Amino acid sequence: MVHVSATPVLALRGVSKRFGAVQALTDVELEVHAGEVVALVGDNGAGKSTLVKTIAGVHPIDEGVIEWDGKAVSINRPHDAQNLGIATVYQDLALCDNIDVVGNLYLGREVRKYGVLDEVEMERRSRELLDQLSIRIPSVRIPIASLSGGQRQTVAIARSMLGEPKLVILDEPTAALGVEQTAQVLDLVERLRERGHAVILISHNMADVKAVADKVAVLRLGRNNGVFEVKSTSQEEIISAITGATDNAVTRRAARTSGEIKK
Amino acid sequence: MSIDKTSTPPEDHVVENPEAAAGAATVVDPRLLVREQGFAGYITEFKRKIKAGDLGSIPVVIGLVIIWIIFQSLNSNFLSANNLSDISVAMVGTGMIAVGIVFVLLLGEIDLSVGSVSGVAGASFAVLNVNHGMSEWLAFVLAILTGTVAGAIHGFVFAKIGVPAFAVTLAGLLFWNGFMLQILGSNGTINLNSDGMVAKLTTYYFSDVAASYGLAIAVTALFFLSSYFGNKRREAAGVPSRPVSETILRTVLLAIVAFAVAIVYNQYKGLPLAVVIFVGVLLVTDFILRRTPYGRKIFALGGSVEASRRAGINVEMVRISVFAISGTFAAVGGLFIASKIASANQGAGGGDLLMNAIAAAVIGGTSLFGGRGRTWNALLGVLVIVSIQYGLALQGIASPVQYMITGGVLLATVVIDAITRKTQKTAGRA
């Protein structure tokens, strides 16, 4: 967790968030550097999504400090996060089914000419961007409703790249994808890192995490439960951190089965 | 679904990239919807749209033609210049209200108060101008602002407090109807100055033959030039553009319609002022909806509120403004209706006005589920409804039958809408 090399792009210091009687996050610490992929893992209800939403400005934090490039900032609205250079791709994608690909890519940041939508310019740039990312879709002028799940995911990620963000947050980007598309999305994540973006990747899939992440931050019951270097950590160690103990369902099962063999 | 990243052969990856970057034209995925150049491409594109259930305005245009043929065969006066001119003036009041309804339907919401609000606008104008002697222009502007304010109030309660639009505007329907009766006072009916500005809205005709033809030429030329230069720009930017042949075909079709209408008007009193204003409003609102960031926000909200919010769209402001627009057009429509009968009376804004306005928007092809529609739909829909009214009136058939027939047409439209949606879903184009 100690990085002497540079100031982290984003740092959370003692962040807490409460929803009524539920303490969703307690004193959470997190650091992300430029050109680094940090995987955020944890069991269901560990607070991953809440943490991401606080960074994205959907839920303002109750306590703690968010530092951006070393300076404390307040993120109260999605717009604040966007202005800082934080792009978020949510699990439910947040695309408008009735609007075409170009319209969705530029939703909320339309290119204007004399105050009017510049459709030609947006379409040209959309094609350029999709080509750069090797994304194939039937046409940039068909409604999102006509695309497959994988195509929608790639459009959503491409959309996050448009503002040249410093930090990209991907919420379970491979959850509903096929083999080929998963590999494409992971390639995309690596391309983001090569271009110097900081990436927070939420995933349940340890193989994905091991494949692309540099660090793994584990959340458990709304608290930090360790940050690991991916290269020097085994999958079992991460899982035990997620489940909260070295004694967990996974290890018990392993012990039981090996015990049975001994008998 | 555990994928090791290394399972992707690196060679593939390397080859794939420059190929794609070289331009979509060189790499054609067989599934890509690439439009052939030239006129043949237009035909195949059209066939594909029909197959996919993307019918657009075609059903309502066909329906309108059928309705006209039936009434013409029943009474040869139906398609006379006189009757057609009257229909087009009579439809403007309801049509204006329907334009506002299209905005609200695009959000996926409904505004039930437009009838009452239109009545309030007519009554406000009459009271301010006739009873209090206020200048016509000022009274006119204030009457329209009454609608804007009423709509903004509905929008505020809906957007900020979260009451369903249905309930808010239902309350509005009752409240504004009462408000109108209150300001009209005991005597009930106020006659408007028959030479006044509001009366002129529906009684003034540009009798010069050149006016109709001039407008037809202007509209056609405007369409051609904007399409032509738009396509030039697309070509220059290297994005797919329509072939010139298609632009010409569309322009010719528009010219035929525009000049046919001009000829009809010139056979009677000339070009009606009401129609000029209505077409102007449709052009402006269509432009706002399809070409401005504000219009894009409205469509986005109709597609997904959550996505819009995350895109940084101020959902509440858009909602309030859309209801304010709906109220404004209701007021404008109310003034046209008051103009038609040259008075403000207690029955204004009641009866079938509300239902006709909503039906017009829906019959024209605006989706009830939000996110799909154009303000031109209001024109087509109201044309159908008023044609039925006038056709039956020519036959001397009373309103009960007229209601039943309009209801039947509305049902047919929503059935087509529902089937279209189903077909689009199976064709992956919902």
Side-chain angles (χ1 to χ4, degrees):
Chain A
M1 201 152 151
V2 183
H3 261 269
V4 281
S5 55
T7 330
V9 173
L10 176 88
L12 304 185
R13 314 273 184 218
V15 166
S16 297
K17 176 72 194 174
R18 161 181 283 278
F19 294 106
V22 180
Q23 186 74 37
L25 298 174
T26 314
D27 287 334
V28 174
E29 308 271 332
L30 184 73
E31 285 191 357
V32 194
H33 292 77
E36 181 182 59
V37 178
V38 175
L40 190 59
V41 297
D43 229 332
N44 290 340
K48 303 185 299 288
S49 294
T50 309
L51 186 64
V52 162
K53 282 181 178 165
T54 60
I55 300 170
V58 179
H59 302 311
I61 56 170
D62 293 335
E63 282 165 47
V65 179
I66 299 178
E67 283 179 16
W68 183 256
D69 282 337
K71 278 173 237 137
V73 290
S74 62
I75 302 177
N76 297 316
R77 298 177 302 150
H79 218 75
D80 296 341
Q82 270 181 22
N83 287 345
L84 287 172
I86 299 173
T88 315
V89 182
Y90 293 96
Q91 203 172 349
D92 53 353
L93 299 183
L95 299 170
C96 291
D97 274 0
N98 59 327
I99 298 181
D100 63 21
V101 175
V102 176
N104 267 290
L105 285 174
Y106 280 91
L107 189 62
R109 54 175 152 226
E110 293 85 1
V111 178
R112 298 166 196 207
K113 199 179 181 188
Y114 314 118
V116 175
L117 296 177
D118 189 348
E119 293 283 359
V120 178
E121 181 62 16
M122 284 195 275
E123 185 167 335
R124 194 186 62 76
R125 286 199 215 164
S126 301
R127 289 168 160 269
E128 221 173 73
L129 178 76
L130 296 179
D131 282 349
Q132 271 174 20
L133 301 174
S134 317
I135 294 172
R136 303 281 177 74
I137 45 171
S139 156
V140 291
R141 281 298 178 195
I142 56 170
I144 288 292
S146 314
L147 300 182
S148 72
Q151 288 168 334
R152 288 178 201 206
Q153 183 70 55
T154 50
V155 169
I157 296 178
R159 177 177 145 70
S160 74
M161 305 280 296
L162 267 178
E164 282 298 318
K166 283 180 142 179
L167 171 67
V168 183
I169 304 173
L170 304 174
D171 189 357
E172 301 244 14
T174 59
L177 299 190
V179 175
E180 172 81 16
Q181 287 156 327
T182 302
Q184 278 172 5
V185 169
L186 295 181
D187 280 350
L188 248 176
V189 172
E190 294 201 316
R191 235 163 287 158
L192 298 191
R193 174 170 54 198
E194 283 156 21
R195 288 169 65 161
H197 300 280
V199 180
I200 296 179
L201 173 76
I202 297 185
S203 186
H204 271 127
N205 188 330
M206 284 304 137
D208 288 0
V209 171
K210 293 287 274 182
V212 294
D214 301 306
K215 284 196 299 188
V216 182
V218 180
L219 280 183
R220 177 167 157 73
L221 304 175
R223 292 168 189 274
N224 283 108
N225 205 20
V227 178
F228 306 92
E229 292 289 333
V230 169
K231 279 180 196 150
S232 56
T233 316
S234 72
Q235 196 159 320
E236 287 68 32
E237 282 175 271
I238 300 173
I239 289 176
S240 62
I242 292 173
T243 50
T246 41
D247 176 37
N248 60 49
V250 181
T251 54
R252 274 199 302 276
R253 184 177 158 74
R256 202 168 55 238
T257 45
S258 66
E260 277 163 9
I261 290 164
K262 271 179 196 166
K263 276 179 193 172
Chain B
M1 206 194 358
S2 60
I3 309 303
D4 198 315
K5 203 219 93 235
T6 49
S7 65
T8 314
E11 297 84 5
D12 262 20
H13 176 84
V14 172
V15 173
E16 197 176 49
N17 255 336
E19 209 178 14
T26 52
V27 190
V28 178
D29 187 313
R31 289 168 303 175
L32 297 193
L33 306 175
V34 177
R35 170 102 135 55
E36 293 161 45
Q37 281 299 312
F39 197 68
Y42 181 64
I43 304 283
T44 48
E45 169 99 349
F46 184 73
K47 276 185 188 160
R48 197 182 66 226
K49 276 191 170 179
I50 297 286
K51 260 190 194 159
D54 196 358
L55 298 172
S57 302
I58 295 173
V60 61
V61 171
I62 293 172
L64 188 62
V65 170
I66 292 172
I67 288 167
W68 282 9
I69 290 172
I70 291 173
F71 283 125
Q72 177 66 14
S73 64
L74 291 174
N75 186 326
S76 59
N77 280 330
F78 183 77
L79 287 183
S80 68
N82 184 336
N83 195 46
L84 287 178
S85 181
D86 283 350
I87 286 177
S88 61
V89 172
M91 77 181 181
V92 173
T94 314
M96 288 284 187
I97 301 175
V99 169
I101 291 288
V102 169
F103 274 81
V104 178
L105 284 180
L106 281 176
L107 289 188
E109 300 297 338
I110 191 77
D111 188 344
L112 298 178
S113 69
V114 286
S116 300
V117 170
S118 77
V120 169
S124 308
F125 177 82
V127 169
L128 292 172
N129 177 232
V130 179
N131 292 7
H132 294 285
M134 188 183 276
S135 86
E136 276 191 320
W137 277 104
L138 192 56
F140 185 79
V141 171
L142 285 178
I144 290 176
L145 283 180
T146 328
T148 313
V149 170
I153 294 172
H154 302 150
F156 184 86
V157 177
F158 163 60
K160 292 275 183 189
I161 304 175
V163 182
F166 173 84
V168 179
T169 55
L170 185 60
L173 183 154
L174 289 168
F175 179 87
W176 297 112
N177 195 33
F179 186 79
M180 178 191 76
L181 296 175
Q182 184 71 35
I183 62 173
L184 278 176
S186 52
N187 129 21
T189 301
I190 302 172
N191 289 320
L192 301 178
N193 177 2
S194 58
D195 290 327
M197 190 187 85
V198 166
K200 284 243 167 70
L201 282 178
T202 53
T203 55
Y204 187 82
Y205 290 79
F206 297 97
S207 50
D208 193 338
V209 187
S212 288
Y213 294 130
L215 187 68
I217 291 170
V219 168
T220 313
L222 188 75
F223 175 81
F224 178 75
L225 292 176
S226 66
S227 314
Y228 183 76
F229 285 108
N231 276 321
K232 279 271 164 206
R233 242 198 104 209
R234 296 178 67 83
E235 238 170 69
V239 295
S241 54
R242 277 192 189 130
V244 181
S245 59
E246 192 190 321
T247 307
I248 291 174
L249 178 78
R250 283 166 178 255
T251 309
V252 168
L253 284 177
L254 178 68
I256 291 171
V257 174
F259 278 92
V261 172
I263 289 168
V264 168
Y265 285 147
N266 280 339
Q267 282 176 3
Y268 187 50
K269 290 182 187 169
L271 178 65
L273 173 65
V275 171
V276 177
I277 297 174
F278 191 39
V279 171
V281 162
L282 291 175
L283 284 172
V284 170
T285 50
D286 189 58
F287 184 83
I288 288 172
L289 281 177
R290 297 193 311 122
R291 295 267 174 260
T292 66
Y294 176 70
R296 180 57 52 82
K297 286 175 190 169
I298 295 176
F299 276 97
L301 242 66
S304 163
V305 176
E306 191 53 32
S308 313
R309 189 170 283 129
R310 287 181 194 165
I313 292 172
N314 189 335
V315 174
E316 289 173 358
M317 278 319 292
V318 174
R319 283 178 164 166
I320 293 172
S321 64
V322 163
F323 274 86
I325 287 171
S326 169
T328 308
F329 279 114
V332 173
L335 289 169
F336 273 93
I337 291 166
S339 165
K340 195 85 184 47
I341 57 174
S343 74
N345 64 38
Q346 292 178 328
D352 57 351
L353 179 62
L354 166 68
M355 285 308 143
N356 278 347
I358 296 175
V362 175
I363 288 174
T366 308
S367 174
L368 283 167
F369 308 97
R372 216 150 43 88
R374 298 179 64 171
T375 46
W376 291 100
N377 297 151
L379 170 65
L380 286 170
V382 79
L383 207 48
V384 168
I385 289 175
V386 178
S387 293
I388 294 171
Q389 281 176 358
Y390 270 63
L392 290 173
L394 277 181
Q395 295 305 112
I397 298 172
S399 54
V401 180
Q402 181 203 313
Y403 287 173
M404 289 191 279
I405 292 183
T406 312
V409 172
L410 180 59
L411 181 65
T413 320
V414 289
V415 166
I416 291 174
D417 186 35
I419 294 173
T420 307
R421 281 172 63 84
K422 256 191 202 164
T423 329
Q424 284 179 335
K425 265 189 193 142
T426 49
R429 288 179 150 255

